[in-house]
Amino acid sequence: MVNKIRISSFIKPLLPLLAVIAAVLIWYVYFNKTDKELIKEQLYQFRTDVSKYAGEGMAQSILKCKALEKLFDKTCHVNINVDMFAGSFSPEEISSKAMYCRSHCASAAVNFYNIKITIDGDDAEASLTASLDGASRDGKRFNEYRELVFSFKKIEGKWLIYKIDIHQIIEK
Amino acid sequence: MLRKWLTFYLQCWRPYRYRQAPAGLADFVLPTLNAAFFVRLITLIIVSYIVFGTFLIPTYIKGGSMEPTYKRIGVNFCWRMRYLLHDPQRQDIVIIYYADKVLLLKRVVAFEGETVEFRNGDLYINGMKLDEPYVKYACDWNLPPRKVKKDHIYVVGDNRSMPIEQHKFGQVAKDRIYGAPLW
């Protein structure tokens, strides 16, 4: 009992200070994000929006594709050796292409590994290894790996994608 | 204080310091659960974690692209320090980081700026046929000449008995070299 009184009387005056420290920590963790963290967040958002999990409905697909638009600059250049997906596209076009791909897949889980980010002023580049694991509507399974390089531009405090390079990890 | 701890730690490694000499086989094989044993156990766990998690990565071989040099299924270790101070040499076997937990075991055949070509199953580097005693199965691969890009190496498996489309080979960025097999 004596000990309890002693501890509480010791902590009580420190409570405001502890509250301030906690508030600063929360602010630091949640709001004071570095550019690298912000870029990583964009990448994770991209990964979530392009992935299609089993049982996902049409409404969710539309919402995800709509959310994808917010990650891109007015024009985004895509370098890939598939004619249909190569070229310069607006966010809306990217969204509709994502919708088209989703309609052909029963499931498609995208994952990113080995992310390396380099920042140069308002420009940044993120290179990573991506895996695409899933199944088509006719039940054919696929498991592909590619090397991706995302180019970002900081516009009004947001890192937006303006270029994506997709190529094989091992090129014949 | 530090000296005291160090003395205690070193004593933990001395045989029979905290127990009697083994009387029989069971006594010899089974550990005595005392402080010295736990110190040794924790040391072993930490050292294993560092060694096998950083320098010597246990790998499981699955696939026959390096047959007959490496069997279709097997176990090996990836020695990550192999190319720390120098680049791989031609015909070295390297382990390539592919993705998450997937590594590729391949042989280096060409370096940046060199031209690689397959003619009727023979490998040509800069127009010269490469002697490959490790290739035991005949193949009929044909691949037009191509130049290895900057900071890339060209890797191929030893087993070329399958169609060219089914074999994963080609140029890969140098920074994807993960290490070399231990044996």
Side-chain angles (χ1 to χ4, degrees):
Chain A
M1 192 66 187
V2 174
N3 276 347
K4 263 187 188 174
I5 292 163
R6 270 187 191 167
I7 289 164
S8 64
S9 62
F10 171 71
I11 287 177
K12 236 181 185 176
L14 288 176
L15 275 176
L17 183 70
L18 289 172
V20 170
I21 291 170
V24 169
L25 277 174
I26 289 166
W27 173 83
Y28 188 80
V29 172
Y30 287 100
F31 300 105
N32 187 30
K33 283 179 178 161
T34 62
D35 281 334
K36 269 193 181 177
E37 283 169 331
L38 290 170
I39 290 168
K40 268 193 181 172
E41 254 182 24
Q42 293 289 81
L43 288 171
Y44 292 143
Q45 188 60 48
F46 177 89
R47 184 187 66 181
T48 312
D49 291 343
V50 294
S51 292
K52 183 181 179 180
Y53 303 106
E56 232 175 59
M58 190 56 132
Q60 206 171 353
S61 270
I62 293 167
L63 284 174
K64 275 188 165 185
C65 289
K66 216 64 197 139
L68 196 64
E69 288 177 20
K70 291 177 190 165
L71 303 176
F72 290 91
D73 195 11
K74 282 171 197 162
T75 315
C76 178
H77 194 78
V78 182
N79 281 333
I80 187 173
N81 59 356
V82 181
D83 288 342
M84 193 196 153
F85 299 107
S88 296
F89 305 107
S90 66
E92 292 76 22
E93 283 173 316
I94 289 171
S95 170
S96 67
K97 279 188 190 296
M99 199 68 199
Y100 171 81
C101 292
R102 295 171 78 88
S103 67
H104 282 77
C105 297
S107 68
V110 175
N111 264 311
F112 292 156
Y113 307 102
N114 207 20
I115 302 171
K116 285 176 200 153
I117 298 169
T118 47
I119 299 170
D120 182 19
D122 280 351
D123 275 291
E125 213 173 72
S127 59
L128 52 95
T129 305
S131 75
L132 176 65
D133 189 18
S136 60
R137 282 229 176 265
D138 52 12
K140 217 172 161 186
R141 286 213 63 85
F142 51 81
N143 185 20
E144 295 284 331
Y145 294 96
R146 292 286 184 277
E147 211 168 55
L148 265 65
V149 180
F150 286 88
S151 299
F152 288 88
K153 200 172 266 180
K154 199 173 190 180
I155 299 165
E156 293 166 7
K158 275 187 103 179
W159 286 100
L160 300 176
I161 303 163
Y162 71 92
K163 197 171 134 200
I164 306 174
D165 288 292
I166 304 166
H167 42 89
Q168 299 267 2
I169 296 168
I170 292 192
E171 275 179 83
K172 279 199 174 102
Chain B
M1 185 70 175
L2 185 71
R3 199 175 161 181
K4 197 176 153 189
W5 276 103
L6 197 65
T7 312
F8 168 72
Y9 184 79
L10 292 173
Q11 279 177 350
C12 289
W13 291 92
R14 286 172 66 180
Y16 318 124
R17 176 72 189 176
Y18 292 102
R19 61 177 177 150
Q20 289 181 337
L25 185 66
D27 203 19
F28 179 75
V29 174
L30 298 172
T32 311
L33 300 179
N34 56 19
F37 169 76
F38 285 108
V39 166
R40 290 198 300 267
L41 184 70
I42 290 165
T43 305
L44 196 69
I45 290 168
I46 293 169
V47 170
S48 303
Y49 183 79
I50 293 168
V51 171
F52 296 114
T54 314
F55 306 110
L56 213 56
I57 315 291
T59 52
Y60 171 61
I61 301 169
K62 201 175 93 180
S65 80
M66 280 300 284
E67 276 184 326
T69 314
Y70 288 94
K71 283 181 183 169
R72 192 165 283 272
I73 289 174
V75 176
N76 209 315
F77 288 90
C78 174
W79 174 231
R80 297 215 54 201
M81 301 291 115
R82 177 66 62 87
Y83 300 114
L84 193 70
L85 301 174
H86 63 91
D87 283 343
Q89 304 294 302
R90 199 185 307 278
Q91 302 192 337
D92 272 4
I93 295 171
V94 293
I95 292 176
I96 306 286
Y97 175 81
Y98 193 59
D100 187 25
K101 285 175 184 168
V102 186
L103 302 170
L104 297 177
L105 191 61
K106 298 283 167 192
R107 196 179 289 272
V108 180
V109 293
F111 302 99
E112 64 173 63
E114 292 183 332
T115 310
V116 182
E117 180 188 4
F118 274 102
R119 261 186 253 160
N120 300 319
D122 294 324
L123 177 62
Y124 288 81
I125 307 293
N126 293 333
M128 303 270 283
K129 190 181 163 190
L130 187 71
D131 181 35
E132 295 183 290
Y134 43 81
V135 178
K136 304 286 184 200
Y137 310 129
C139 83
D140 57 353
W141 289 6
N142 281 298
L143 190 77
R146 59 220 40 228
K147 208 171 184 181
V148 183
K149 285 189 275 185
K150 194 176 178 285
D151 293 327
H152 281 61
I153 53 164
Y154 206 94
V155 294
V156 195
D158 290 355
N159 182 6
R160 299 169 197 170
S161 59
M162 67 283 278
I164 194 166
E165 300 79 27
Q166 287 175 19
H167 190 106
K168 213 168 258 170
F169 73 96
Q171 48 188 306
V172 63
K174 254 191 210 172
D175 59 13
R176 279 194 178 265
I177 298 173
Y178 201 64
L182 197 61
W183 60 78

